[in-house]
Amino acid sequence: MARQRTWWPWVVGAAGVVVLVTVVALVVGAGAQAAATSLSVVISAVAGLLSWSWHRSRPAAPAIRAELDQAAEALAAMVRRQWTEEAAAQGLLDPHPLAVRWRSGQAEAGDHVRMVGRTLSGRSDDIHAFATAFRALPRRRLVVLGEPGAGKTALAILLVRELLRAPEPGEPVPVLLDLASWNPRREPLAQWTARRIHEDYPALRDHDTYGREAARKLVAEGRVLPVLDGLDELPADLRPGALAAVNHAIALHDPLVLTSRRAEYHRLVEETDVITAAAVVVAQPVEAADVVDYLRSAVPPRRAAAWQPVLDELTERPRGALAQALSVPLNVWLARTVYSSPGTDPADLTRRKDAEALRHHLLDALVPAVFTARPAAADPSLPDVRRTAAARWHPDDAHTALVFLATHVQRQRTDGIAWWDLHRALRPDPAGPLSGPVAGAMIGLGAGCMAGDYFHWALSPLPRLVCFLAVTLATAAGAGVVIRLAHAGGDPEGPGRPGRERGEGPRLAGEVLRRVGIGCAVVLALAVVMGAVVEYWAEAVERADTDIEVIVPPYTGLKAGAAWALFMVVPALGTLCATALRRRVRPRRHPTGDLGAQVPRILLYVVLFWLGAQAAGALLYLPLRQVTGEAPTRIAFLAPAEDLAFVTRRAAFRACVLLLIAGVLAGLRLTGGSSRPTRLDFRAPVRVFAAMLPACLGRGLLFGLGLGIALAFVAPWGPLVTWSTRLVASGGFGAFLGILFGLGLAVLRWARVPADLEQETPQSTLRGERTAAVALLVFALVPPLAKWFIAFQGHFAGSAVQPVDAVGRWLETLEANAAMGLAAGLLAVSGTAYFAYREAGLRLAAARRLPSRPLAFLEDARLLSVLRRVGPVYHFCHAEFQDRIVSGAGAAGGAPQRA
């Protein structure tokens, strides 16, 4: 089929060229010097637009056979390493797999034997023979059934490892995927499989090595063997559609492995159909003799005597309660884990006469057994990561955290625990432990941005820098403190929120008085600093040689400090109102990075930035306009309405510039591109960056130019500024910012292409998001500083060309541009998944639901075989344990009996 080019990028590019030509015409009308200055910029912009249009209209080149072969080899290597590590972490290979027998279930839940070709049976401890029998199936389709805890997932893991240990030529790559996240009504199986592979194995996104859409093409060409775990984990109303979708998918691509609970699958095939031409195996209860043989090998020699009563009970009563309980592989693993400590007595198992009660006891005792809270090391020279992980958390805290995680997964209806989704358990909080300080920092940076330009009038560079830092830091610290103190706190919809208790009223009154006292002490101390800065500044202006004579009345610094302290009431009242509104209105949740979530945050932070700029402008300008000769207690100004309008216009203009930068950042979506976070790797081929650069520059230019022209209509310009000056100055400034941010977009997209074959982990995604957050801060800071450098070296301020003079007088000093860049960077960072994770961790830790660094706890729980890891997401190792702990029955006090 011929490849077709899309036409819309050329339309967009042509429209951009027309806009640029219009700007050139306006510049020429302003003067020949401006036209000559802007000619090179316009030529570069047109070239970028045309390059972007050509790149976007160019169809993707199909992957060649050699690239798909390399992609298949890379995928096989990553899958083999992933599930080898996971099998070791779950103890499946220590010392060897438990002997679970699998009989043929063809007659009860399978297709006709003549369609399958043969029946299948085997043992988990002889996985090589089982894999050989699977390969002998003509269509290599298998359904694995069993009761809860029967070892279905363990068999799938072992089978995947064995198939990849010595693959046959041309054999598809087995990829184990959890089915819980699949919605067959919205996504076909092949598309979902390709998407999951694309997300979990990001090395395949290296287009330069494997071609475009390598995961999708591997699935489309039948080079992937889907191993789908947990059909029963889908909602009941989705299962019939899922079974039909599976049959439709395997009609095109033969191989498949599917696991499910036995009862749920039987009900499903009675209502719909079986998996076409698939062999069916059913887990058999583990024989008591096999359990004895396994425990003799798995129990350390020094613990053999303690386990001997259990072995004797199994041998003498192979149909007793203990044998019935340990006929389930999950219970065998639980018993071995719970009674592995030297201080426990396994003989306690023989004293329980009911198999179901014994199973509940083992599930309840798992958490206190693995989280010991007592560091111990048999040999200090040999570090034991599992022992360290067990001693790092108290059993009660671990139990509380696991209850919260299990409840969170159940409420969110997700298939696992993703660190970037933990914030969904909480309501958005603009005054949270990180959002509150960031809001205060926005107020402080707004004050610093305004103060930096004012101090330029009368202060030399070093005093100007010191006073700028004093105003910025004092305002940011004061606003941050009052916001956090005024915050009512609490997460009303979170689990485990205690109810009102008797005597809560007096305690609440005491807490309010304590917070008010702390706030007054901090604000008054910082007000002294602000008063001293204003006094020093006013005296410097009074001494300066200016055209306007300024006489500063006495006690100006004292009055300014008192006014600044009163200003701190504004963010406190705003926080109280926001908290009250948050408790009454259920906010609509948006995914992290979604535009619907960015717009309210951008507007809020721009308003806070304006608030700080307005306060600083009033404190620094109005003292110079006081009426002299009045009593010290009386404050009067020469023209208060005009002076306040002047200050407000300057503050609003700076807020509009920040809004322009934030709009460009949001439009380019520098952190977007995947539903899951990815790490950054700056070792990717440079030619990939060169291929992305034209399109990113063109996109940035379009956004910057469009928003810059919008700034000409929105910003509060002076009454003497003509429309041609407004359009040329704001359009050129926006285009300049757009090109620089487009360059940053190209760098981030280039760095997201992994250069090595590494399966994604939660830790790597967190590091990647942290690097992306730092990169965003840097990329937001560079354009304002570059603008200042160009304007300073080019002597834009005072130019005879009005647009050039206007741009030069915007944020005239280095300090003002640095404050603007930092504000834009904080605004961008606050929308990242890394920021949301850190704040969610602090809020959940304050509520005593999770540690402050949840990912460390999740990884330790994985090392202790409570959780397992699938790509960058954690899952509970056993659904039975998850259900038990959610029900509230698995109390942390269910510890095993001590010897």
Side-chain angles (χ1 to χ4, degrees):
M1 184 177 64
R3 293 181 293 160
Q4 298 180 351
R5 293 175 177 266
T6 54
W7 54 268
W8 67 265
W10 290 106
V11 175
V12 175
V17 171
V18 170
V19 173
L20 288 174
V21 171
T22 304
V23 173
V24 170
L26 293 172
V27 173
V28 171
Q33 181 182 357
T37 304
S38 305
L39 184 60
S40 60
V41 176
V42 172
I43 293 176
S44 301
V46 172
L49 278 171
L50 295 178
S51 299
W52 175 82
S53 303
W54 175 82
H55 182 82
R56 294 297 297 179
S57 65
R58 185 167 57 106
I64 61 177
R65 181 64 54 183
E67 290 176 338
L68 284 182
D69 291 340
Q70 293 182 35
E73 292 177 4
L75 179 61
M78 290 184 286
V79 173
R80 179 171 59 249
R81 180 169 57 184
Q82 172 191 4
W83 292 111
T84 297
E85 294 175 355
E86 200 59 37
Q90 294 187 29
L92 300 180
L93 309 177
D94 180 20
H96 55 75
L98 179 63
V100 181
R101 290 175 169 81
W102 300 87
R103 66 169 178 83
S104 174
Q106 210 66 38
E108 60 185 77
D111 205 353
H112 304 290
V113 176
R114 67 176 182 274
M115 296 291 295
V116 180
R118 53 166 294 178
T119 60
L120 181 64
S121 60
R123 294 165 56 112
S124 295
D125 58 340
D126 190 3
I127 196 63
H128 175 72
F130 193 95
T132 302
F134 172 75
R135 283 187 169 119
L137 294 173
R139 300 197 181 184
R140 296 189 180 181
R141 299 176 186 172
L142 176 64
V143 176
V144 179
L145 304 179
E147 302 300 331
K152 303 179 293 296
T153 301
L155 178 66
I157 293 174
L158 296 173
L159 181 60
V160 167
R161 290 185 64 254
E162 182 61 27
L163 292 175
L164 290 172
R165 188 180 61 84
E168 296 180 351
E171 190 173 54
V173 180
V175 180
L176 179 56
L177 302 170
D178 281 299
L179 267 180
S181 65
W182 179 36
N183 187 337
R185 295 175 181 171
R186 298 180 180 178
E187 201 171 15
L189 179 61
Q191 181 179 339
W192 175 81
T193 303
R195 178 175 61 82
R196 287 295 306 273
I197 294 174
H198 176 81
E199 293 172 350
D200 291 350
Y201 305 97
L204 297 180
R205 304 174 203 168
D206 188 349
H207 300 164
D208 193 61
T209 304
Y210 307 119
R212 295 180 180 274
E213 299 182 337
R216 183 186 64 81
K217 291 168 184 174
L218 286 174
V219 174
E221 295 198 6
R223 307 190 67 169
V224 170
L225 166 59
V227 182
L228 308 177
D229 186 25
L231 178 64
D232 56 278
E233 294 181 11
L234 291 175
D237 59 328
L238 293 182
R239 292 172 196 164
L243 192 61
V246 169
N247 272 327
H248 175 74
I250 62 177
L252 302 176
H253 310 295
D254 279 344
L256 174 81
V257 177
L258 178 70
T259 73
S260 176
R261 290 184 179 181
R262 183 180 179 185
E264 284 80 352
Y265 188 78
H266 281 184
R267 285 195 296 268
L268 183 60
V269 298
E270 289 175 359
E271 299 172 359
T272 56
D273 195 3
V274 297
I275 298 294
T276 304
V280 179
V281 294
V282 181
Q284 294 290 93
V286 183
E287 298 290 339
D290 293 330
V291 176
V292 171
D293 292 340
Y294 175 78
L295 291 177
R296 289 188 189 278
S297 303
V299 171
R302 67 179 184 278
R303 295 281 291 159
W307 279 89
Q308 191 59 45
V310 176
L311 303 182
D312 294 340
E313 175 70 17
L314 291 173
T315 303
E316 296 171 3
R317 298 179 179 84
R319 297 292 182 266
L322 180 59
Q324 292 179 21
L326 297 186
S327 65
V328 179
L330 170 61
N331 295 343
V332 177
W333 175 82
L334 287 171
R336 180 186 169 191
T337 303
V338 168
Y339 291 96
S340 60
S341 173
T344 56
D345 184 11
D348 180 46
L349 295 171
T350 64
R351 304 184 185 101
R352 301 179 184 270
K353 304 304 181 183
D354 181 68
E356 187 68 12
L358 179 57
R359 183 177 71 89
H360 290 166
H361 161 71
L362 292 174
L363 289 171
D364 296 345
L366 177 61
V367 173
V370 297
F371 292 96
T372 61
R374 292 186 308 279
D379 185 359
S381 65
L382 298 175
D384 186 346
V385 293
R386 290 174 59 87
R387 186 177 295 111
T388 304
R392 192 175 288 131
W393 314 101
H394 192 277
D396 292 341
D397 297 335
H399 178 266
T400 301
L402 291 171
V403 169
F404 167 77
L405 293 172
T407 306
H408 170 66
V409 170
Q410 187 182 68
R411 289 185 174 184
Q412 297 298 321
R413 298 180 180 178
T414 59
D415 61 330
I417 307 164
W419 61 262
W420 58 89
D421 279 339
L422 288 177
H423 72 281
R424 294 178 179 272
L426 303 166
R427 283 188 173 186
D429 190 355
L434 289 183
S435 297
V438 168
M442 295 300 292
I443 298 176
L445 290 171
C449 184
M450 182 69 86
D453 280 343
Y454 277 118
F455 292 151
H456 180 63
W457 295 354
L459 298 180
S460 57
L462 183 58
R464 183 172 71 225
L465 176 62
V466 173
C467 291
F468 163 77
L469 292 176
V471 170
T472 303
L473 296 178
T475 305
V481 168
V482 298
I483 288 174
R484 286 299 297 158
L485 290 175
H487 179 233
D491 294 299
E493 64 181 357
R497 180 174 179 250
R500 296 181 63 89
E501 300 176 0
R502 297 184 61 184
E504 186 177 356
R507 286 197 300 270
L508 181 60
E511 177 66 15
V512 170
L513 292 176
R514 186 185 70 85
R515 293 191 181 194
V516 170
I518 294 175
C520 290
V522 172
V523 169
L524 290 177
L526 294 174
V528 173
V529 176
M530 288 296 299
V533 170
V534 173
E535 185 76 27
Y536 178 80
W537 148 252
E539 292 177 355
V541 174
E542 190 176 20
R543 294 192 304 267
D545 185 14
T546 61
D547 297 335
I548 302 175
E549 182 179 0
V550 176
I551 300 176
V552 181
Y555 306 109
T556 294
L558 180 62
K559 298 173 185 177
W564 182 88
L566 291 176
F567 163 74
M568 286 294 123
V569 177
V570 175
L573 292 177
T575 303
L576 289 174
C577 293
T579 302
L581 183 64
R582 172 174 166 265
R583 289 182 174 273
R584 288 174 170 80
V585 178
R586 177 178 291 274
R588 181 180 177 185
R589 285 191 173 88
H590 299 272
T592 301
D594 183 76
L595 190 61
Q598 291 186 46
V599 171
R601 186 182 66 254
I602 289 174
L603 294 178
L604 172 63
Y605 285 171
V606 168
V607 169
L608 293 176
F609 186 86
W610 166 81
L611 190 65
Q614 179 78 12
L619 288 175
L620 295 174
Y621 183 71
L622 293 182
L624 308 180
R625 304 284 294 166
Q626 294 183 81
V627 177
T628 58
E630 299 288 339
T633 57
R634 186 174 184 273
I635 302 176
F637 300 99
L638 297 176
E642 296 179 3
D643 296 339
L644 191 61
F646 172 77
V647 171
T648 302
R649 185 169 62 250
R650 289 174 62 89
F653 198 91
R654 281 156 177 77
C656 288
V657 173
L658 177 61
L659 185 61
L660 167 65
I661 298 176
V664 174
L665 287 171
L668 293 180
R669 300 180 65 84
L670 295 183
T671 58
S674 175
S675 60
R676 299 188 180 196
T678 57
R679 64 184 176 85
L680 297 184
D681 191 337
F682 294 96
R683 296 171 294 171
V686 179
R687 56 182 174 273
V688 178
F689 172 74
M692 294 178 176
L693 184 60
C696 293
L697 289 179
R699 184 178 176 183
L701 179 61
L702 287 177
F703 272 104
L705 187 61
L707 292 174
I709 292 176
L711 180 67
F713 296 91
V714 175
W717 298 80
L720 301 179
V721 181
T722 63
W723 276 105
S724 61
T725 300
R726 297 182 184 185
L727 291 172
V728 173
S730 58
F733 182 62
F736 172 76
L737 292 178
I739 290 175
L740 290 184
F741 284 125
L743 176 62
L745 175 66
V747 171
L748 284 178
R749 287 191 172 180
W750 164 69
R752 280 197 175 94
V753 180
D756 56 353
L757 300 182
E758 185 171 323
Q759 196 266 332
E760 206 65 89
T761 64
Q763 290 73 22
S764 64
T765 57
L766 183 63
R767 288 193 298 268
E769 281 297 308
R770 182 175 57 203
T771 306
V774 175
L776 277 176
L777 186 62
V778 173
F779 290 150
L781 184 61
V782 167
L785 294 181
K787 176 265 171 189
W788 168 82
F789 180 78
I790 295 173
F792 179 77
Q793 294 296 327
H795 304 286
F796 283 15
S799 173
V801 182
Q802 288 187 356
V804 176
D805 177 65
V807 173
R809 295 188 184 280
W810 294 352
L811 309 178
E812 195 169 352
T813 63
L814 173 64
E815 294 82 4
N817 284 276
M820 180 66 69
L822 287 174
L826 282 179
L827 198 155
V829 168
S830 67
T832 61
Y834 179 77
F835 183 91
Y837 162 74
R838 288 300 186 199
E839 179 158 71
L842 293 175
R843 291 176 63 186
L844 292 170
R848 299 184 182 275
R849 298 173 199 164
L850 276 183
S852 58
R853 294 183 178 270
L855 197 57
F857 173 78
L858 293 173
E859 183 60 20
D860 285 345
R862 186 190 74 87
L863 293 174
L864 298 173
S865 301
V866 177
L867 302 177
R868 61 187 175 96
R869 190 176 66 201
V870 181
V873 180
Y874 290 97
H875 300 255
F876 280 90
C877 275
H878 305 286
E880 291 73 21
F881 173 72
Q882 179 181 348
D883 296 339
R884 178 73 177 172
I885 205 169
V886 166
S887 68
Q897 182 174 338
R898 297 286 170 179

